[in-house]
Amino acid sequence: MARIAGVDLPKDKHGNVGLTYVYGISHSTANKVLDDLKIARNKKVSEWDDEDLTKIRNYVNDNLTVEGSLRSQVQMNIKRLMDIGCYRGIRHRVGLPLNGQKTKNNARTRKGRKKTVANKKKAVK
């Protein structure tokens, strides 16, 4: 069982794909890690021996910010934006998109489910 930074890696995947299951490691980072340690990218996770696993674990712990510490760092950055009251912080606080997207029709991921607003009743003559 390959376990890196508290995450169980899938055994049937190639090494460069398996490493991306760790939060904070992208495809390019995974390729860089394997290249720096001279481990074949297409070698499956189940084919890694204990020496390879130890090298990867040590590299990730020493050189990368991953999993819990990265998540807390991201949350602290968002909290800082909200505290200083900048545009992005206000959009985070209100739950709207941050980067200039239109919100009239889309943005359902950020805004949540549609809330229907009733029309005004027509006055009866």
Side-chain angles (χ1 to χ4, degrees), residues 50-61:
D50 291 335
E51 184 182 320
D52 292 339
L53 268 172
T54 307
K55 283 198 279 188
I56 293 171
R57 266 192 213 110
N58 291 338
Y59 187 92
V60 168
N61 289 336

Side-chain angles (χ1 to χ4, degrees), residues 87-101:
Y87 180 80
R88 282 174 54 205
I90 293 168
R91 302 295 279 188
H92 267 294
R93 195 178 307 142
V94 179
L96 292 171
L98 314 178
N99 299 318
Q101 296 91 334

Side-chain angles (χ1 to χ4, degrees), residues 41-54:
R41 293 180 186 181
N42 58 0
K43 195 175 182 183
K44 297 224 175 186
V45 173
S46 60
E47 297 170 0
W48 287 347
D49 56 356
D50 291 335
E51 184 182 320
D52 292 339
L53 268 172
T54 307

Side-chain angles (χ1 to χ4, degrees), residues 22-23 26 28 37 39 44 97 111 116-117 119:
V22 178
Y23 181 79
S26 61
S28 59
L37 299 176
I39 300 171
K44 297 224 175 186
K111 290 169 73 174
T116 305
V117 178
N119 290 341

Side-chain angles (χ1 to χ4, degrees), residues 11-30:
K11 297 177 189 174
D12 57 333
K13 304 270 187 202
H14 286 261
N16 58 349
V17 176
L19 276 176
T20 62
Y21 279 66
V22 178
Y23 181 79
I25 297 183
S26 61
H27 285 287
S28 59
T29 309

